[in-house]
Amino acid sequence: MNTPVGQSPVAAGAGPAPEPPALAALIFDVDGTLADNERDGHRVAFNRAFAAAGLDWEWSPALYGELLAVAGGKERLHHYLQHYRPAAEQPPDPASFVAALHATKTAEYARLVQSGSLPLRPGVARLIREARAAGLRLAVATTTTEGNVTGLLDQALGPGASGWFDVIAAGDVVPAKKPAPDIYHYCLAALGLPAAACLAVEDSSQGLRSALAAGLPTLVTVNDYTRGQIFSGALLVVSDLGEPGRPMQVLAGAMTGAAPGWVDVALLRRLHRLAHWQR
Ligand code: XBP
Ligand code: MG
């Protein structure tokens, strides 16, 4: 039975369907979703940290794309040490070595954010402002370090904008990083909302699996590092959030017929209702 997007199956004669909970909150991933910041942001910061430490390590865009399979900068450094560096280069205390390197990297990343060289992706600022105006709560669920999030939001949306987000669930506040659902469970608990009242926005298969495992309907906006990944279970997969006059491309998912040119609150509400009936 093909129910048009946002229509109740009742209208299509499928029998009574419980009313879906109203959409109450949007939960945004950060890296790759709010900003396309992995290749020219985090990767550059890692390389500057290696140089500052006197290491001849250089993560090319291609190598970094492989390393992104490991969520978390510290975890990614441990993985690189173990799988890409010879035994002779292994530090006596890997945890301290990685912690120090990652602290330098985070400082370098903050400088990149403050330089304004990592803008928000198309449609992100517009959707965040629309969602606020519509009374939706905003939250973040990310693997990255919390300071990276507040810095990006305050730089891109204006001083204090990170305060628009009721919850910023980031990095090491949970034991297991994406694709584990921990960070989304933590975010939902802090919001005091059920997954059914929320919608997640992600960029990667790893992030989608984390959100779905926490029961969240999820929209995916791809980027160059994630375009070829598998997004089974996503409500919709789009090129970006689009802007009036700069339409997004719908790459997969629930839209049939004429898709709007950009993701707005009305579309998210329709997708959220559809997700409820598809459960
Ligand atoms: C993506 C990540 C992060 C960043 C690096 O996070 O995996 O680890 O690549 O940031 P998101 P840190 O969940 O927002 O996509 O070095 O601070 O971990
Ligand atoms: Mg991401």
Side-chain angles (χ1 to χ4, degrees):
M1 169 192 66
N2 242 339
T3 306
V5 174
Q7 296 300 316
S8 153
V10 176
E19 200 43 38
L23 179 61
L26 301 182
I27 305 178
F28 290 93
D29 166 56
V30 176
D31 297 317
T33 299
L34 294 186
D36 196 355
N37 60 350
E38 287 287 5
R39 191 194 64 190
D40 300 334
H42 288 295
R43 181 186 67 89
V44 171
F46 277 113
N47 285 334
R48 288 181 182 174
F50 301 153
L55 298 166
D56 64 350
W57 301 355
E58 174 78 18
W59 285 357
S60 66
L63 172 58
Y64 192 66
E66 285 175 35
L67 295 172
L68 275 173
V70 179
K74 293 188 288 297
E75 293 78 357
R76 198 166 301 144
L77 286 166
H78 278 296
H79 175 80
Y80 178 71
L81 260 176
Q82 287 153 20
H83 297 277
Y84 291 77
R85 305 313 302 182
E89 280 192 29
Q90 301 304 313
D93 178 356
S96 302
F97 175 83
V98 162
L101 210 44
H102 192 256
T104 304
K105 176 265 173 180
T106 300
E108 290 295 342
Y109 179 77
R111 271 193 276 280
L112 281 166
V113 169
Q114 280 144 27
S115 74
S117 62
L118 300 172
L120 296 182
R121 296 188 63 189
V124 169
R126 171 186 55 73
L127 180 61
I128 286 172
R129 290 193 171 99
E130 278 178 17
R132 286 188 80 221
L136 292 181
R137 296 173 67 190
L138 298 174
V140 158
T142 176
T143 303
T144 196
T145 306
E146 183 175 354
N148 294 347
V149 185
T150 51
L152 181 72
L153 292 171
D154 292 341
Q155 202 286 331
L157 295 171
S162 54
W164 301 349
F165 292 73
D166 288 358
V167 176
I168 295 181
D172 297 332
V173 293
V174 290
K177 296 189 173 168
K178 297 176 184 175
D182 301 40
I183 197 70
Y184 278 105
H185 284 147
Y186 178 99
C187 188
L188 289 168
L191 281 168
L193 288 172
C198 303
L199 188 145
V201 184
E202 272 282 356
D203 72 302
S204 66
S205 171
Q206 185 184 77
L208 172 62
R209 282 178 283 141
S210 175
L212 292 178
L216 282 154
T218 305
L219 168 79
V220 171
T221 64
V222 300
N223 53 64
D224 290 344
Y225 274 134
T226 67
R227 195 175 311 279
Q229 293 176 357
I230 307 293
F231 298 114
S232 308
L235 273 178
L236 198 65
V237 181
V238 295
S239 55
D240 52 65
L241 295 178
E243 293 283 16
R246 187 199 174 284
M248 66 185 174
Q249 284 179 291
V250 176
L251 305 174
M255 296 305 295
T256 53
W262 58 91
V263 175
D264 58 11
V265 170
L267 175 61
L268 293 179
R269 288 195 199 282
R270 283 168 56 201
L271 288 170
H272 179 257
R273 288 172 66 84
L274 178 74
H276 178 79
W277 284 317
Q278 280 180 337
R279 284 178 189 280

